[in-house]
Amino acid sequence: MIMGFDPLYFLFALPGLALALLASMFVRSRFAHYSRIPSARGLTGAEAAQVMLSRAGVREVSIEMTNGFLSDHYDPMSRTLRLSPDVYRSTSLAAIGVACHEAGHALQHATGYALLGLRSALVPATNIGSTLSYIVIAIGFLLQRPQFILLGALLFSLVVLFAVVTLPVEWDASARAKVSMVQAGVVTVAEAGDAAKVLNAAFMTYVAAAVSALLTLLYYLLRAGVFRRDD
Ligand SMILES: [Zn+2]
């Protein structure tokens, strides 16, 4: 039995895939829309993040430009905000929203927000667990050994845990951004509402990833016979 030909797999994989695709289209369309609307004060994304961090008294974070589309992230190891060109240079509400969201992660780090630390700590284990799980599960399906599929499912549960821990971290970073951009005078209240629409759309991609991971785990557990009653 090869996983790809199992109709049950598609039943579990398709909702997650569809949700991820929809969320990705949603965030791209909202980002594109609010990329055309400049803020009144005219700060770039990089400047907005800098103002927000300075006002919060966070000085040790540097802001750099990085390549890619929506590749923006905060690197806790080097305490660096890396903003994509479309966010770094642009004065649009979309750019300011994304930049301030990333600054929100830097604020989480500076204030010792525990879940950010947990998420960072989970990264190496999640990467290993993810790779190993696919190998072990493939062996389990090839050799028809449910024990291997179960072991793979346990390894894959790290991926689920990471995706679930990511949700409050991302929500909190956006919540900090929504409040701080107004308090720091980067945007008006109305503008912050529009910038928040981009961030809310971005949050949907994390929800989709978590749902997708959870459904995949359920599928593995099902194939491992965990839900079987007759034995
Ligand atoms: Zn984030």
Side-chain angles (χ1 to χ4, degrees):
M1 158 81 71
I2 296 162
M3 266 191 285
F5 291 100
D6 183 357
L8 199 63
Y9 176 69
F10 288 105
L11 195 68
F12 279 82
L14 277 182
L17 278 175
L19 205 60
L21 197 70
L22 280 174
S24 159
M25 280 163 56
F26 186 44
V27 70
R28 278 166 185 267
S29 89
R30 278 220 168 151
F31 186 83
H33 178 75
Y34 289 103
S35 286
R36 291 189 291 268
I37 303 176
S39 74
R41 191 173 161 193
L43 295 182
T44 63
E47 287 165 346
Q50 187 59 66
V51 168
M52 183 175 142
L53 289 174
S54 299
R55 194 179 178 280
V58 178
R59 271 164 247 292
E60 67 275 30
V61 173
S62 49
I63 302 173
E64 291 174 359
M65 190 157 75
T66 187
N67 292 322
F69 177 69
L70 287 181
S71 54
D72 310 77
H73 62 277
Y74 170 67
D75 175 10
M77 298 291 275
S78 61
R79 291 185 184 263
T80 308
L81 270 190
R82 299 210 178 87
L83 303 177
S84 61
D86 289 328
V87 168
Y88 190 98
R89 300 194 196 111
S90 165
T91 60
S92 71
L93 293 178
I96 290 172
V98 171
C100 288
H101 167 91
E102 299 308 332
H105 285 305
L107 283 190
Q108 289 175 333
H109 194 194
T111 56
Y113 176 73
L115 288 175
L116 181 75
L118 176 62
R119 184 171 71 163
S120 302
L122 280 171
V123 170
T126 302
N127 287 339
I128 296 168
S130 167
T131 309
L132 269 182
S133 74
Y134 292 122
I135 297 168
V136 173
I137 286 166
I139 293 171
F141 275 105
L142 280 173
L143 303 180
Q144 300 276 309
R145 292 287 184 87
Q147 309 95 303
F148 280 85
I149 300 172
L150 184 61
L151 178 65
L154 290 176
L155 288 164
F156 190 78
S157 64
L158 282 165
V159 176
V160 176
L161 179 65
F162 181 81
V164 169
V165 168
T166 293
L167 295 178
V169 174
E170 293 303 327
W171 184 263
D172 178 83
S174 288
R176 287 173 197 251
K178 288 170 198 173
V179 173
S180 303
M181 12 190 204
V182 176
Q183 282 180 349
V186 169
V187 290
T188 64
V189 175
E191 287 175 328
D194 284 343
K197 285 179 190 159
V198 177
L199 301 184
N200 293 344
F203 184 72
M204 291 311 295
T205 62
Y206 295 104
V207 173
V211 169
S212 184
L214 201 61
L215 287 174
T216 304
L217 177 65
L218 278 176
Y219 169 73
Y220 291 152
L221 290 174
L222 195 73
R223 297 309 313 232
V226 168
F227 303 117
R228 212 168 287 154
R229 278 159 184 240
D230 50 81
D231 60 332

